[in-house]
Amino acid sequence: MPILPFGSFVFLMKKEFDNQEDAAKELAVSFQLQLLFFGVISICSSIFWFFYPGEENFGLLVVALLNGYFLSLNTLMFIFHKSLGDFKIELVVNLFKSLLIGGLIVGVYLLPQVSVLGVLIVLLLINSITFFLTFLKSNVLKMNYIKLFFRFDYKLLKRQFTDQKYYGLQDILTVSFVQGGMLLLPLLVINEIYGMYRGLLLIVAPFGLLNLTFSQVLLNQLKSKTAIEKGQLFHLMQKIAVGILLIVLVVMYVLRAFVMEKIAKVELNEETNLAFIGLCIVIVSSFVYSGYEMLLVALNKQKMRLSIMIVGATANMIAIFSLLPQFGLLGAISTNVISSVIVFISIMWIAERELKRSY
């Protein structure tokens, strides 16, 4: 999902458009680029399937890929409208989607024998419906703009790819940085430890959505401001948001036994208590560096943002192979703590330095 748009999310959020038609043309090229990457990833995934053939597995693969594509496409549509200052459409469409997802959850409870493929197909229908609903609810996109989405221009696509290359590479590195452990840990630890690690990361997941939402709003507010105004607004929003986040984390720590039992399905003991503290460090540091990422984008310092994430991804890989499997669950959580803190310190120092230089 994060790789498909090849940086279109931040690239679109940063742009300012002269009129609605120009905005629709920009979205159309981003749509085509996303479709191109989806085709490449689908072909690569199909090649891997030949190593583990099976009719049911192939069906799961196809529907899972399409779900990823429509989820990414929905996000692209929401980002596009938010870049124009329309935050309401995402709220309205996602409220409707929540009702559909709620219906699916009730259905799974009533029909516990439902297949995984069946659930994925229903999710695909829901994601498809929300995409078309977003298009219909849009005040910017008109029916006569649909032809723009399928009017492919190789030169235009090439130029867009070049313009977005640092943003796209950033997305790929972010995936390896944030999800590298999820992909590599099964090869290095036993299933029980991996299950506990996955369960604990469920606690972090909602905060990841919070990071995304806050960073999008932040970039939208910063992009049209002067350098001094950017610094003042950024620090104000960071102080307020981090203050609220710390209060939430203190409450979570007091209720950690309940949180871990109900969400992570892990019992509280000395080891898991330390792991929970590590998660809190990851949540705070990742929230802060997400904001600083958007500050660098607003200052047109995307190359620096990319360089910092290269350092973070490298630190993450080194930590994974150095700490595992010797240190078990704490080693797994420590990989996230080390890499996120390194990125947090690096990006805060560089972003503050560049902000002062821009005054």
Side-chain angles (χ1 to χ4, degrees):
M1 275 181 55
I3 293 173
L4 289 180
F6 196 67
S8 292
F9 293 167
V10 177
F11 186 77
L12 280 177
M13 182 61 79
K14 182 177 178 291
K15 293 208 70 168
E16 296 184 60
F17 306 105
D18 295 327
N19 53 61
Q20 291 186 353
E21 187 173 357
D22 285 343
K25 288 179 180 178
E26 191 74 44
L27 175 64
V29 178
S30 295
F31 168 83
Q32 292 168 5
L33 198 61
Q34 189 176 35
L35 189 62
L36 179 64
F37 270 86
F38 174 66
V40 172
I41 290 175
S42 297
I43 291 170
C44 293
S45 300
S46 299
I47 291 172
F48 276 109
W49 173 78
F50 283 105
F51 292 99
Y52 300 94
E55 185 176 345
E56 182 182 358
N57 290 339
F58 188 74
L60 288 170
L61 173 64
V62 171
V63 181
L65 285 170
L66 288 171
N67 263 301
Y69 173 70
F70 273 97
L71 277 169
S72 186
L73 190 57
N74 278 323
T75 305
L76 180 67
M77 294 286 283
F78 295 145
I79 292 289
F80 168 71
H81 286 90
K82 283 191 280 192
S83 70
L84 298 171
D86 184 0
F87 288 78
K88 181 181 177 182
I89 190 167
E90 181 178 11
L91 175 63
V92 172
V93 173
N94 276 336
L95 282 173
F96 176 71
K97 183 177 181 178
S98 298
L99 293 174
L100 296 179
I101 295 290
L104 173 60
I105 293 171
V106 171
V108 171
Y109 272 104
L110 294 177
L111 302 170
Q113 301 305 317
V114 66
S115 67
V116 175
L117 181 61
V119 173
L120 285 174
I121 289 173
V122 175
L123 282 171
L124 178 58
L125 289 173
I126 292 173
N127 289 320
S128 304
I129 289 169
T130 53
F131 166 69
F132 290 110
L133 181 62
T134 305
F135 198 99
L136 293 174
K137 291 285 293 180
S138 174
N139 293 321
V140 180
L141 300 175
K142 302 173 183 177
M143 293 305 294
N144 60 327
Y145 288 162
I146 293 178
K147 59 185 179 182
L148 296 174
F149 287 75
F150 300 97
R151 187 184 294 165
F152 289 86
D153 186 324
Y154 173 75
K155 291 183 179 179
L156 200 59
L157 272 174
K158 184 180 178 181
R159 188 183 70 186
Q160 186 85 346
F161 179 87
T162 303
D163 291 343
Q164 290 184 202
K165 61 184 177 183
Y166 291 114
Y167 296 91
L169 290 172
Q170 173 79 32
D171 283 349
I172 294 172
L173 280 169
T174 301
V175 170
S176 67
F177 168 61
V178 176
Q179 301 182 12
M182 300 279 279
L183 299 172
L184 292 175
L185 283 177
L187 305 176
L188 302 171
V189 297
I190 60 176
N191 289 340
E192 182 182 356
I193 293 175
Y194 182 64
M196 294 172 68
Y197 174 74
R198 286 290 298 267
L200 287 170
L201 287 188
L202 287 175
I203 299 172
V204 181
F207 292 95
L209 296 175
L210 179 65
N211 293 356
L212 177 65
T213 303
F214 177 75
S215 61
Q216 290 170 357
V217 174
L218 183 63
L219 180 57
N220 183 262
Q221 294 298 311
L222 292 178
K223 65 183 181 181
S224 59
K225 299 288 190 295
T226 64
I228 295 177
E229 289 173 339
K230 285 174 183 176
Q232 292 173 341
L233 181 60
F234 171 78
H235 289 126
L236 176 63
M237 292 182 71
Q238 281 282 84
K239 287 176 183 177
I240 294 172
V242 172
I244 295 172
L245 178 63
L246 290 175
I247 293 172
V248 172
L249 289 179
V250 169
V251 174
M252 279 182 56
Y253 185 76
V254 173
L255 303 174
R256 62 192 181 282
F258 175 81
V259 172
M260 294 180 75
E261 180 184 348
K262 297 300 181 183
I263 298 177
K265 309 298 181 185
V266 174
E267 292 184 4
L268 182 64
N269 54 43
E270 186 177 350
E271 182 184 33
T272 56
N273 186 60
L274 287 173
F276 189 86
I277 294 172
L279 289 181
C280 292
I281 295 173
V282 171
I283 290 169
V284 173
S285 57
S286 60
F287 182 85
V288 175
Y289 78 63
S290 294
Y292 275 105
E293 280 189 273
M294 296 303 102
L295 177 60
L296 284 176
V297 171
L299 293 172
N300 294 312
K301 302 296 180 181
Q302 173 59 30
K303 289 183 181 180
M304 290 184 177
R305 178 182 173 228
L306 176 63
S307 300
I308 294 167
M309 202 52 66
I310 290 174
V311 173
T314 303
N316 185 251
M317 292 298 106
I318 292 173
I320 287 172
F321 288 104
S322 300
L323 299 176
L324 297 173
Q326 296 95 324
F327 298 100
L329 178 64
L330 286 179
I333 296 296
S334 296
T335 61
N336 296 81
V337 174
I338 290 170
S339 51
S340 62
V341 169
I342 287 174
V343 170
F344 160 64
I345 294 172
S346 303
I347 202 167
M348 183 172 65
W349 177 68
I350 291 174
E352 290 289 351
R353 183 194 67 189
E354 294 303 317
L355 183 61
K356 289 178 181 177
R357 287 179 177 178
S358 66
Y359 286 168

